[in-house]
Amino acid sequence: MQNEDQNQIRSLDVPIFLTGFMGSGKSTIGQALADLLGRPFIDLDTRIEAMTNRSIPDIIASDGEEKFRQIESEALREVARMGTAVIALGGGAILRAENRELMSSRGISVWLDVPFEVCWQRIQQDENVRPLAPDEATALERYRQRLPFYQQSSLHIKVDQSEPASAVAEEIFGRLGEAE
Ligand code: S3P
């Protein structure tokens, strides 16, 4: 790695939060970015499941979305304290103002902007159950409601479906300096 690149990473010694709709590739791209930067990778949903010893669909089905959002905010506060990790959020974490404020005050948020049709195709094929996207119309409504919040992220990365995760990670890396 060039000295200039190393300096850039040091000056951005803060957590990097990956946001984007369900199926936008946050976990895969997040892992690739963490590998590229030599930082730990944290998947917030996996963390919540480990913390609670329950699955996300079970939490949402038994306790409701609001309770899930409370747990999600707590988990986010905790991981934000863990230094310079790359953190993949669940697609709805940007809904809460306190989460958005935490991300902007503590680190850099990166929106993986993937067209709805691509996300929906992946949601249908994925083995992960998404209780908040039970059908296309509901998923589309959520996607539209959330766009203004995703747009508040520090970096906006348009992701082309054909791009491998490593190429998107390289692009994010190259643009980190633009983040406010
Ligand atoms: C959710 C997205 C999921 C998970 C939960 C709720 C959402 O994560 O947190 O099912 O509201 O968009 P992914 O974005 O990783 O699928």
Side-chain angles (χ1 to χ4, degrees), residues 18 25-36 39-42 86-88 112 165 169 172:
L18 290 193
K26 299 177 294 282
S27 303
T28 320
I29 294 168
Q31 182 67 67
L33 181 63
D35 291 346
L36 185 65
R39 294 185 185 197
F41 171 67
I42 299 170
V86 174
I87 302 158
L112 300 181
I172 297 171

Side-chain angles (χ1 to χ4, degrees), residues 36-169:
L36 185 65
L37 297 172
R39 294 185 185 197
F41 171 67
I42 299 170
D43 182 280
L44 197 65
D45 282 343
T46 307
R47 182 115 195 141
I48 292 169
E49 295 190 325
M51 271 168 59
T52 59
N53 211 15
R54 296 168 68 188
S55 72
I56 304 283
D58 173 47
I59 299 171
I60 295 175
S62 309
D63 301 352
E65 181 178 351
E66 187 49 34
K67 177 67 185 171
F68 169 66
R69 297 291 170 215
Q70 278 172 24
I71 300 172
E72 188 177 48
S73 292
E74 262 171 51
L76 181 60
R77 279 197 299 275
E78 189 192 301
V79 299
R81 285 195 291 265
M82 292 181 172
T84 61
V86 174
I87 302 158
L89 305 188
I94 38 74
L95 289 169
R96 284 191 156 203
E98 64 173 275
N99 296 346
R100 299 195 299 272
E101 278 156 23
L102 182 102
M103 288 189 276
S104 61
S105 63
R106 290 284 183 82
I108 297 169
S109 52
V110 179
W111 171 31
L112 300 181
D113 179 8
V114 175
F116 174 75
E117 298 68 36
V118 176
C119 293
W120 177 241
Q121 203 180 8
R122 290 180 184 160
I123 291 169
Q124 286 174 292
Q125 288 164 357
D126 199 343
E127 60 187 19
N128 286 333
V129 179
R130 264 88 168 202
L132 299 182
D135 56 67
E136 188 172 2
T138 309
L140 181 58
E141 197 186 329
R142 287 190 193 274
Y143 182 90
R144 288 194 176 131
Q145 278 170 348
R146 292 172 182 187
L147 279 180
F149 299 122
Y150 293 134
Q151 277 159 356
Q152 293 174 27
S153 304
S154 342
L155 266 188
H156 177 180
I157 305 286
K158 272 194 171 289
V159 183
D160 180 329
Q161 195 183 357
S162 60
E163 257 178 302
S166 55
V168 181

